[in-house]
Amino acid sequence: MNLANKLTVFRIILIPVILLIELFPYSQFGISIPYYTIDHVSISLKSIIVLIVFIIASLTDFVDGYLARSRNMVTTFGKFLDPIADKLLVNTLFILFAYQGVVPVVAVIVMIWRDTIVDAVRMLLSQKGMVMAAGYLGKVKTVAQMLAIIFVLLNNLPFELFGVPFSSILVWFATIMSLLSGASYVIQARSYLTESM
């Protein structure tokens, strides 16, 4: 359990922390959540705290990858757990947003379907001793998802002040990139997927 893997595990631990912050029944315990208003846009302290935790979790993703490569800490455990931690973090927040009605359910379903299909393709290829590296479209998708989460938590600030639905644009852009990157993975692996048909 090297430092890179510990950071990955720490990222996974932060996910239930986010869930607890978001879903805790504050009113039942007489806790009032403060809201801060900028012009006509409000943002809750709860969202700010979740945003901070999410940014910390996202930074551990960058740091553990850097440490694994630069200090020769790449392990089978890390290769297995790191992408799982990333998807658990991102998908958990998108599911929460869909549950709260702040992002379209269809967008979240498409992103989760894409991850499931890509994971299945990778699993099949691994059985043949092949590894499919993350492509450019997949990286763009990940960045778009993380930015979308940040701006949803910020209640679309500062763009909401000018009536620009930037967080919604990012959510749909991430959805489109999910479809395109998923299709790219399937196309790359099509000869292996169809060889036994």
Side-chain angles (χ1 to χ4, degrees):
M1 181 63 75
N2 59 38
L3 180 57
N5 289 342
K6 286 178 181 177
L7 285 171
T8 303
V9 171
F10 177 64
R11 185 157 74 256
I12 292 174
I13 291 170
L14 289 179
I15 297 168
V17 172
I18 289 172
L19 281 171
L20 179 63
I21 296 167
E22 278 286 347
L23 301 177
F24 187 81
Y26 297 97
S27 59
Q28 292 182 21
F29 290 87
I31 301 171
S32 179
I33 303 296
Y35 279 78
Y36 307 98
T37 303
I38 302 172
D39 196 2
H40 62 282
V41 185
S42 295
I43 182 170
S44 71
L45 178 60
K46 181 175 73 172
S47 293
I48 294 170
I49 294 170
V50 170
L51 175 62
I52 292 168
V53 176
F54 174 73
I55 289 172
I56 291 169
S58 299
L59 288 174
T60 66
D61 182 26
F62 170 77
V63 174
D64 67 18
Y66 172 78
L67 287 175
R69 291 186 296 271
S70 65
R71 299 190 181 181
N72 196 27
M73 293 182 178
V74 177
T75 63
T76 302
F77 178 78
K79 288 180 182 177
F80 167 75
L81 201 62
D82 186 65
I84 291 175
D86 296 343
K87 288 172 184 173
L88 283 175
L89 176 64
V90 169
N91 288 338
T92 296
L93 276 158
F94 274 119
I95 290 168
L96 273 174
F97 294 156
Y99 169 73
Q100 295 165 346
V102 294
V103 301
V105 173
V106 171
V108 178
I109 289 172
V110 168
M111 287 188 270
I112 292 174
W113 280 359
R114 177 266 184 202
D115 285 347
T116 304
I117 291 167
V118 168
D119 287 345
V121 169
R122 282 178 164 160
M123 183 180 67
L124 287 170
L125 292 181
S126 69
Q127 292 175 353
K128 299 175 183 294
M130 299 180 61
V131 176
M132 186 180 290
Y136 174 75
L137 291 176
K139 291 175 182 177
V140 172
K141 181 266 305 180
T142 300
V143 171
Q145 285 179 322
M146 290 185 167
L147 286 174
I149 288 168
I150 288 170
F151 282 100
V152 168
L153 289 169
L154 284 171
N155 203 9
N156 196 39
L157 283 169
F159 298 96
E160 192 67 22
L161 299 173
F162 309 102
V164 179
F166 188 62
S167 61
S168 296
I169 292 168
L170 278 174
V171 168
W172 285 113
F173 177 69
T175 304
I176 292 166
M177 294 312 298
S178 290
L179 284 170
L180 293 177
S181 62
S184 174
Y185 280 113
V186 172
I187 290 167
Q188 287 180 62
R190 67 186 182 279
S191 60
Y192 301 98
L193 297 174
T194 58
E195 67 181 16
S196 60
M197 288 179 65

